[in-house]
């Protein structure tokens, strides 16, 4: 419990908010929130009203310097506050008095008031970020005449539904990215790196199988390849103008070692998806969430860093295991520490023994909407280089053998 702005705590008032049969205060979109407010007064108090407010909203906020726009001082910047807000539902109930009534004397004692509220089926998941948040709050206000109010509030968590089965064809579509790079002003043969995933849609507890092929026809070694599975939250302002900030949350990262020049190599990385919020670019208009697998290729003796991006959609209800190959099931079960998979229909559990994901596939009716891919980033298009003649320093060169380099090479 906390106190809001322009409020004042009181040592003579205690407040507690309890949710019925839900001590953790975790709900799904479309649920009904039931609970009880308990107020304990140690001495007689005068209130204009005792009100309970329940609301869900998204808010973004940050400060930035912008040009003042004055012709006399064109170089002067001023600090500007950017913000946005989106409300999903709200209710207010007065247990005692009203917002315009006369003050009432409330004698010492313990007072209990039940409350209820319906969460909209399209409410977005709770989120906290550097530039904004999506919150759901139960707030009790003891409103006093001519004085600061006593305010107590308790947050609760909402989780949205995102069923990948609403768009199985799109979720089963493979993701692919490729980059082609030559060195020394295009005089070397190309370095070609290709990354793929067998499908686009996943749920917590499943494994992203990333296949990487490095066809290094150049004489330049690849120092390493860094792989990141990350969530990107985009925060949008509405006032004074529309601007955006992005926050990156790395959920898994690893590094592949050196690949020598004039060599061909293939790698496979299995990334287990843990507990997280689903992808969302519809339910909330000012905080958007997407996922991607990013690969950064760092050649030796070159400042160029090659980036490949594979867009990933994370839902709460995964695709049936019968829709994707048995080899994929075997890899997922191995990553989860389970036994080998046998032929025939099987069900892959979407939870890990250590930390169950927060979005189980329960028996509740789905309230999801199909995913919209218009805003998803497109995988990096192949970049080609012009055909060049063999340079003289590459003619008749000996077969390349790996060697050690200094870290500063």
């Amino acid at each position: 419990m906390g106190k809001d702005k322009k409020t004042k705590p009181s040592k003579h008032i205690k407040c507690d908010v309890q949710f019925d049969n839900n001590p953790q205060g975790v709900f799904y979109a479309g649920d009904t929130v039931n609970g009880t407010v308990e107020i304990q007064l140690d001495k007689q108090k005068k209130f204009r009203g005792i009100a309970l407010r329940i609301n869900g909203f998204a808010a973004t906020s940050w400060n930035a310097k912008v040009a003042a726009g004055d012709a006399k001082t064109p170089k002067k910047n001023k600090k500007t506050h950017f913000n946005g807000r989106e409300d999903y539902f709200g209710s207010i109930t007065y247990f005692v008095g009203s917002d315009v009534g006369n003050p009432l004397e409330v004698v010492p004692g313990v007072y209990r008031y039940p409350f209820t509220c319906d969460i909209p089926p399209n409410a977005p998941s709770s989120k906290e970020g550097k530039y904004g948040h999506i919150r759901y709050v139960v707030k009790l206000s003891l409103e006093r005449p001519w004085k600061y109010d006593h305010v107590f509030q308790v947050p609760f968590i909402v989780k949205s539904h995102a069923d990948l089965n609403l768009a199985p064809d799109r979720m089963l579509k493979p993701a692919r990215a490729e980059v082609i790079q030559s060195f020394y002003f295009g005089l070397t043969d190309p370095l070609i790196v290709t990354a793929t995933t067998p499908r686009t849609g996943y749920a917590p507890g499943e494994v992203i199988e990333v296949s990487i092929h490095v066809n290094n026809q150049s004489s330049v070694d690849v120092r390493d390849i860094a792989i990141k599975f990350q969530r990107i939250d985009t925060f949008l302002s509405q006032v004074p103008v529309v601007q955006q900030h992005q926050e990156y949350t790395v959920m898994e990262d690893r590094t592949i070692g050196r690949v020598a020049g004039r060599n061909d190599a293939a790698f496979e990385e299995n990334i287990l998806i843990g507990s997280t919020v689903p992808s969302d670019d519809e339910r909330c208009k000012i905080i958007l969430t997407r996922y991607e697998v990013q690969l950064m290729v760092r050649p030796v003796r070159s400042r160029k860093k090659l980036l490949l991006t594979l867009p990933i959609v994370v839902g709460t209800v995964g695709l049936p295991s019968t829709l994707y190959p048995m080899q994929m099931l075997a890899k997922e079960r191995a990553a989860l520490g389970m036994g080998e998979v046998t032929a025939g229909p099987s069900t892959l559990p979407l939870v890990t023994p250590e930390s169950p994901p927060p979005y189980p596939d329960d028996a509740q009716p789905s309230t999801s909407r199909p995913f919209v891919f218009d805003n998803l980033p497109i995988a990096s298009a192949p970049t080609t280089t012009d055909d060049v003649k063999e340079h003289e320093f590459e003619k008749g060169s000996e077969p390349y053998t790996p060697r050690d380099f200094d870290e500063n090479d």
Side-chain angles (χ1 to χ4, degrees), residues 194-212:
T194 306
T196 61
T197 60
R199 54 192 170 108
T200 302
Y202 298 86
E206 296 181 338
V207 171
I208 305 173
E209 179 188 296
V210 184
S211 298
I212 306 163

Side-chain angles (χ1 to χ4, degrees), residues 2-15 39-41 43-53 139-145 147-153:
K3 58 181 186 298
D4 199 2
K5 293 181 179 179
K6 295 186 179 180
T7 63
K8 184 178 180 180
S10 174
K11 62 181 180 180
H12 302 294
I13 302 175
K14 295 181 180 179
C15 178
I39 305 172
Q40 180 178 340
L41 299 180
K43 63 180 294 186
Q44 184 169 309
K45 289 283 188 178
K46 182 181 290 187
F47 301 113
R48 184 178 63 250
I50 299 178
L52 183 73
R53 294 175 174 84
K139 181 185 294 186
L140 182 72
S141 301
L142 291 82
E143 301 172 358
R144 303 190 298 169
K147 295 181 179 180
Y148 287 139
D149 297 337
H150 297 309
V151 177
F152 304 86
Q153 66 180 22

Side-chain angles (χ1 to χ4, degrees), residues 153-206:
Q153 66 180 22
V154 174
F156 60 95
I157 305 299
V158 171
K159 300 175 180 178
S160 61
H161 295 282
D163 191 347
L164 300 181
N165 295 279
L166 296 178
D169 294 338
R170 293 177 179 177
M171 297 299 104
L172 286 171
K173 185 177 180 179
R176 184 179 186 275
E178 184 179 82
V179 63
I180 303 174
Q181 181 65 54
S182 295
F183 304 94
Y184 304 126
F185 306 101
L187 297 177
T188 68
D189 288 332
L191 164 65
I192 306 172
V193 182
T194 306
T196 61
T197 60
R199 54 192 170 108
T200 302
Y202 298 86
E206 296 181 338

